[in-house]
Amino acid sequence: MEEEAKNLIDIDEISLNGKSSRFPGFYKHDLSIRLDLLEQWYPLTTNEKWMLKRETLTPELADVMVENAIGVFGLPLGVAVNIQLNERDYIVPMVVEESSVIAALSNSARLIRDHGTLTSEATDPIMFSQVQLVEVKNPEHAKKTILKKKKDLLRVANQQDPVLAKLGGGARDIEVRIIDSLSGPMVIVHIIVDCRDAMGANAVNTMAETLAPILAELAEGEAICKIVSNLSDRRLVRVRMEMEVDCLARAGFTGEQAADRIIKAYHFAEADPYRAATHNKGVMNGIDPILIATGNDWRACEAGVHAFAARTGKYKPVSHFSRDKSGKLIGEMEIPMALGIVGGVTSIHPGVKILLKLMKVKTSKELAEVAAAAGLLQNFTAVWTLATEGIQKGHMTLHARNVAVFAGAIGEMAIKVANQMAHEGRVRYDRAKQILKHLLVRETQDQEDQNQ
Ligand code: NAD
């Protein structure tokens, strides 16, 4: 089995980080072969392979992680292959229930690998927490007083996290805003912190809670909320894809036509928040599964991306498509990405630990670059499909097995029912029931014939 796996790797396809993530026909193999194939990318132990296949989190550990635990909940774990970003190869683990997500990412990664380039760059891992000060008699005076004490405040903040400071991170700056609110003016203090390889919410929250009474005294007011902002707009990732358009030909459209339709589809999202929401959902389809697989806080990331999408006062698509002078299709995106490779559950969840090793990311910045690039690729595939053959054909073909199982088919029978529906182009619950009934009758007859 392992010999078979080795033979399936194209050894010519090796990038800057030494190995190729190009696995032709990966989806065609059975699950165990895929795990064997991954050994060519990263040397998984037998135990690690067993854990990925069967159990990445024990009920005992789940009981430590949350209150009132009653068990461990499963979701499919897959890997997107073929990804080449910043001239490095990546295998990307994804935990997701939607059938088409991993296939879409692997396919678009293969396409751009052969016909374009994909780059991304993250800023420094800067987060900030907010301290809300109310009942401040003279907000302008309070602002000046707080800023005068900046150095002392930063020192106290950094005393809360010597590890972060030692690693070259820690509190960097204090900013003060005066905002109008339904309860009148408020003084809002931002504590700006370099969180290195942590997501940093706990780190910045601790600093905010420590500084809050000091700030309240300086402002002669009262502190209420002391909490991280999930609109982490100092921790951004910029992604760019460039692609020759000939390879976009599909469903009777030439590559040129497909590219122009992609741009018009993007213009729809630019003009209409109803479409922009679904456009951005397509981006998050590529990101959330990676965040779950790597133990990151996907709610925090979702909140950040959507707030960023609305930062001009109108909800907008976070990615943009255009064509450059040479006719190439250009996709660009800038989003906040507050991710960690240490802290939170990243360092305790056994599955996350294996999957982070498998990804071979060395810093939180690198993880953010990969996740954001996956988001842009996923979004590009969805818009390309929408703009050409429509989303349902491919999606429903992949979803057919779920529909077959929903209709009562199991094992081999589910595959037969799904294949028949995909062949007919009719992936529907009622049709699955009919096919299943027909196949079961035929199977019973065959059995009777054999018994006679
Ligand atoms: P954490 O407190 O578990 O770990 C971070 C700490 O790890 C740092 O403060 C530092 O002391 C230490 N550390 C060791 N090596 C490090 C390195 N190389 N780089 C940086 N730090 C290093 O976790 P966190 O990242 O502060 O917080 C993340 C958790 O907070 C997530 O689980 C998230 O769900 C949760 N959370 C989120 C929110 C929110 O987003 N609104 C609010 C509260 C809590």
Side-chain angles (χ1 to χ4, degrees):
M1 196 188 274
E2 286 187 11
E3 255 326 290
E4 189 185 338
K6 274 180 199 152
N7 293 337
L8 290 162
I9 306 286
D10 183 349
I11 50 168
D12 291 334
E13 285 266 356
I14 290 176
S15 76
L16 268 187
N17 46 353
K19 295 256 172 153
S20 175
S21 65
R22 176 83 183 97
F23 285 83
F26 192 71
Y27 68 98
K28 290 182 190 155
H29 301 288
D30 72 27
L31 193 149
S32 297
I33 290 272
R34 287 189 207 121
L35 274 168
D36 288 339
L37 278 168
L38 285 184
E39 269 187 60
Q40 303 300 309
W41 167 260
Y42 177 83
L44 290 164
T45 64
T46 308
N47 189 37
E48 284 172 336
K49 283 205 262 183
W50 183 88
M51 284 168 72
L52 291 180
K53 199 165 154 180
R54 296 278 167 214
E55 184 181 80
T56 50
L57 181 68
T58 59
E60 291 73 23
L61 192 49
D63 201 19
V64 174
M65 285 168 67
V66 298
E67 266 181 34
N68 295 355
I70 56 164
V72 175
F73 184 83
L75 277 173
L77 162 66
V79 290
V81 292
N82 307 332
I83 293 162
Q84 197 166 58
L85 168 71
N86 298 335
E87 295 180 51
R88 287 171 185 274
D89 274 35
Y90 292 98
I91 292 272
V92 172
M94 302 181 100
V95 171
V96 65
E97 84 297 346
E98 199 174 336
S99 328
S100 54
V101 166
I102 301 174
L105 182 55
S106 300
N107 284 336
S108 54
R110 180 183 47 77
L111 202 67
I112 197 137
R113 188 183 183 103
D114 293 342
H115 304 279
T117 54
L118 181 65
T119 52
S120 72
E121 194 181 356
T123 60
D124 280 342
I126 305 291
M127 301 290 285
F128 63 93
S129 50
Q130 302 185 291
V131 179
Q132 176 199 16
L133 300 171
V134 299
E135 310 301 336
V136 178
K137 282 190 191 71
N138 187 338
E140 285 298 340
H141 179 70
K143 180 175 175 173
K144 280 189 194 129
T145 312
I146 290 168
L147 289 176
K148 259 192 219 155
K149 292 279 177 191
K150 189 187 276 190
K151 226 169 142 189
D152 295 333
L153 291 167
L154 289 175
R155 185 171 39 77
V156 175
N158 279 323
Q159 281 166 356
Q160 309 316 307
D161 204 328
V163 177
L164 209 49
K166 201 170 153 210
L167 290 167
R172 291 268 188 270
D173 203 1
I174 303 277
E175 291 173 358
V176 184
R177 297 161 57 220
I178 298 167
I179 61 168
D180 276 329
S181 79
L182 294 175
S183 336
M186 291 176 184
V187 175
I188 308 298
V189 182
H190 287 189
I191 306 160
I192 320 285
V193 185
D194 182 327
C195 294
R196 298 284 89 196
D197 288 321
M199 183 265 193
N202 288 328
V204 301
N205 287 348
T206 306
M207 291 180 187
E209 290 203 351
T210 309
L211 291 191
I214 308 172
L215 292 166
E217 203 178 315
L218 289 172
E220 297 180 81
E222 195 186 319
I224 302 189
C225 297
K226 311 113 187 165
I227 184 82
V228 66
S229 170
N230 287 119
L231 176 49
S232 46
D233 58 4
R234 325 259 169 132
R235 198 172 187 174
L236 297 172
V237 185
R238 293 185 191 96
V239 195
R240 180 181 168 92
M241 54 172 273
E242 295 186 5
M243 194 177 221
E244 302 293 345
V245 298
D246 286 351
C247 64
L248 298 175
R250 188 176 186 182
F253 297 104
T254 65
E256 286 284 334
Q257 289 168 329
D260 288 341
R261 289 172 72 91
I262 287 172
I263 290 161
K264 289 199 178 93
Y266 151 62
H267 287 167
F268 175 18
E270 193 60 48
D272 180 13
Y274 289 101
R275 171 62 203 141
T278 323
H279 181 100
N280 290 344
K281 192 271 183 181
V283 171
M284 299 317 292
N285 265 351
I287 296 175
D288 285 343
I290 302 174
L291 305 196
I292 300 172
T294 57
N296 271 283
D297 187 335
W298 71 95
R299 290 90 53 210
C301 184
E302 283 271 354
V305 170
H306 294 295
F308 195 69
R311 69 194 181 285
T312 58
K314 189 176 175 207
Y315 188 85
K316 291 280 187 181
V318 287
S319 66
H320 312 265
F321 293 96
S322 60
R323 294 185 70 182
D324 71 3
K325 282 187 189 135
S326 70
K328 279 185 191 158
L329 179 73
I330 308 294
E332 289 169 296
M333 186 171 80
E334 181 177 62
I335 48 170
M337 279 269 106
L339 307 186
I341 58 165
V342 298
V345 300
T346 58
S347 312
I348 58 165
H349 189 294
V352 167
K353 286 201 262 183
I354 303 171
L355 294 172
L356 277 171
K357 283 195 286 182
L358 190 70
M359 266 188 107
K360 299 185 184 173
V361 286
K362 304 270 183 311
T363 60
S364 65
K365 271 170 87 166
E366 192 180 1
L367 177 61
E369 287 168 353
V370 176
L376 181 63
L377 279 188
Q378 190 77 232
N379 171 234
F380 151 72
T381 321
V383 178
W384 176 37
T385 310
L386 266 178
T388 50
E389 71 176 23
I391 214 93
Q392 281 307 79
K393 189 171 170 243
H395 182 80
M396 290 313 279
T397 304
L398 284 165
H399 187 53
R401 287 189 193 184
N402 293 346
V403 176
V405 173
F406 184 30
I410 48 171
E412 282 287 304
M413 191 58 88
I415 295 170
K416 282 186 191 164
V417 173
N419 287 347
Q420 181 60 29
M421 287 193 295
H423 174 71
E424 294 172 3
R426 272 199 293 173
V427 181
R428 285 194 334 234
Y429 177 73
D430 58 328
R431 183 62 189 142
K433 280 255 179 218
Q434 282 170 349
I435 298 170
L436 178 62
K437 195 172 163 193
H438 172 78
L439 289 176
L440 287 174
V441 168
R442 212 170 68 187
E443 204 176 69
T444 316
Q445 273 171 357
D446 288 349
Q447 199 66 49
E448 282 172 5
D449 289 349
Q450 270 176 18
N451 292 343
Q452 276 169 12

